[in-house]
Amino acid sequence: MKKLIGIMALMAALFIMTSCGGGNSPKAVTEKAMKALHDKNYDSFVEYIYITPKEGEDMEASKKMLSGMLQNKAEQTYAKKGGFKSYEVLDEKIDPSGDVAAVRVKTVYGDGSEKEEDVKLKKDEKGDWKLDMGK
């Protein structure tokens, strides 16, 4: 009986490690997205956003437009707050369904102000974690 429980525990651990893959965990994706924002690489940031393709839509044009809007909004925020100084990924919570997650992030601005928020993520049709910018 102990051997069976041990094997089941090992299999569960292996399943969790393979399903969360280090480079595609919610925490890792959030880390990459925050780095892109910090580096003002808005085109790269957009690659981490969950976008539902619409029929007949030029996905690259949509991403470019979203990147431009994001840059405008971010630059306004950075101007008010003295820039984007640093960020820290604090916590990761994956829903029992395994398809949605929330990652707690602390952002520090140049004026010393801080903001903590939950970044929502969900898996896309390929099973990759993406930032969920929906409501």
Side-chain angles (χ1 to χ4, degrees), residues 17 22-23 35 38 49 55 59 67 84 92 110 135:
M17 288 186 333
K35 180 168 179 13
H38 182 264
I49 297 175
E55 193 166 330
M59 191 60 103
S67 175
F84 184 166
E92 171 188 77
K135 307 247 187 277

Short mmCIF file of all heavy atoms in Angstrom, two decimals, residues 17 22-23 35 38 49 55 59 67 84 92 110 135:
data_model
loop_
_atom_site.label_atom_id
_atom_site.label_comp_id
_atom_site.label_asym_id
_atom_site.label_seq_id
_atom_site.Cartn_x
_atom_site.Cartn_y
_atom_site.Cartn_z
N MET A 17 4.72 19.07 -12.74
CA MET A 17 5.93 19.68 -13.30
C MET A 17 5.82 19.81 -14.82
O MET A 17 6.22 20.83 -15.38
CB MET A 17 7.17 18.87 -12.93
CG MET A 17 7.52 19.01 -11.47
SD MET A 17 9.06 18.24 -10.91
CE MET A 17 9.37 16.91 -11.98
N GLY A 22 8.45 25.29 -16.72
CA GLY A 22 9.08 26.49 -16.20
C GLY A 22 8.91 27.72 -17.07
O GLY A 22 8.69 28.80 -16.57
N GLY A 23 9.01 27.58 -18.41
CA GLY A 23 8.94 28.74 -19.27
C GLY A 23 7.53 29.17 -19.59
O GLY A 23 7.31 30.24 -20.14
N LYS A 35 8.84 42.36 -17.69
CA LYS A 35 10.16 42.78 -18.19
C LYS A 35 10.00 43.56 -19.49
O LYS A 35 10.65 44.59 -19.69
CB LYS A 35 11.08 41.58 -18.40
CG LYS A 35 12.45 42.00 -18.92
CD LYS A 35 13.45 40.91 -18.87
CE LYS A 35 14.82 41.25 -19.40
NZ LYS A 35 15.18 42.59 -19.65
N HIS A 38 8.81 46.97 -18.56
CA HIS A 38 9.90 47.71 -17.93
C HIS A 38 10.89 48.20 -18.99
O HIS A 38 11.39 49.32 -18.92
CB HIS A 38 10.62 46.83 -16.90
CG HIS A 38 11.71 47.52 -16.18
ND1 HIS A 38 13.03 47.43 -16.58
CD2 HIS A 38 11.69 48.35 -15.10
CE1 HIS A 38 13.78 48.16 -15.76
NE2 HIS A 38 12.99 48.72 -14.86
N ILE A 49 -0.33 38.60 -24.50
CA ILE A 49 -1.75 38.88 -24.26
C ILE A 49 -2.61 37.86 -25.00
O ILE A 49 -2.35 37.54 -26.17
CB ILE A 49 -2.12 40.31 -24.71
CG1 ILE A 49 -1.35 41.34 -23.88
CG2 ILE A 49 -3.62 40.55 -24.59
CD1 ILE A 49 -1.55 42.77 -24.33
N GLU A 55 -12.54 36.21 -37.45
CA GLU A 55 -12.49 35.83 -38.85
C GLU A 55 -12.25 37.05 -39.74
O GLU A 55 -12.88 38.09 -39.59
CB GLU A 55 -13.78 35.13 -39.27
CG GLU A 55 -13.65 34.44 -40.59
CD GLU A 55 -14.78 33.47 -40.85
OE1 GLU A 55 -15.33 32.91 -39.89
OE2 GLU A 55 -15.10 33.29 -42.02
N MET A 59 -4.24 39.68 -37.82
CA MET A 59 -3.78 39.59 -36.44
C MET A 59 -2.56 40.47 -36.19
O MET A 59 -2.47 41.12 -35.14
CB MET A 59 -3.45 38.13 -36.10
CG MET A 59 -3.23 37.93 -34.63
SD MET A 59 -4.68 38.36 -33.67
CE MET A 59 -5.30 36.75 -33.32
N SER A 67 -0.30 47.48 -29.47
CA SER A 67 1.01 47.91 -28.97
C SER A 67 1.09 49.43 -28.91
O SER A 67 1.57 50.00 -27.94
CB SER A 67 2.11 47.35 -29.88
OG SER A 67 3.37 47.84 -29.48
N PHE A 84 9.07 53.87 -14.66
CA PHE A 84 8.83 52.52 -14.16
C PHE A 84 10.16 52.03 -13.60
O PHE A 84 11.06 51.66 -14.34
CB PHE A 84 8.37 51.66 -15.33
CG PHE A 84 7.98 50.24 -15.00
CD1 PHE A 84 7.29 49.49 -15.92
CD2 PHE A 84 8.28 49.65 -13.79
CE1 PHE A 84 6.92 48.18 -15.66
CE2 PHE A 84 7.91 48.34 -13.50
CZ PHE A 84 7.24 47.61 -14.46
N GLU A 92 1.61 33.34 -7.07
CA GLU A 92 0.91 32.72 -8.20
C GLU A 92 -0.16 31.79 -7.66
O GLU A 92 0.11 30.98 -6.77
CB GLU A 92 1.92 31.92 -9.03
CG GLU A 92 1.29 31.06 -10.11
CD GLU A 92 2.31 30.14 -10.76
OE1 GLU A 92 2.67 29.11 -10.15
OE2 GLU A 92 2.74 30.45 -11.88
N GLY A 110 9.13 55.56 -10.37
CA GLY A 110 10.25 56.45 -10.11
C GLY A 110 10.02 57.42 -8.97
O GLY A 110 10.96 57.84 -8.31
N LYS A 135 -12.59 41.55 -19.23
CA LYS A 135 -13.23 42.03 -18.00
C LYS A 135 -13.32 40.94 -16.98
O LYS A 135 -13.50 39.85 -17.10
CB LYS A 135 -14.61 42.56 -18.31
CG LYS A 135 -14.57 43.58 -19.44
CD LYS A 135 -14.93 44.93 -18.94
CE LYS A 135 -15.06 45.95 -20.00
NZ LYS A 135 -14.03 46.63 -20.53
#
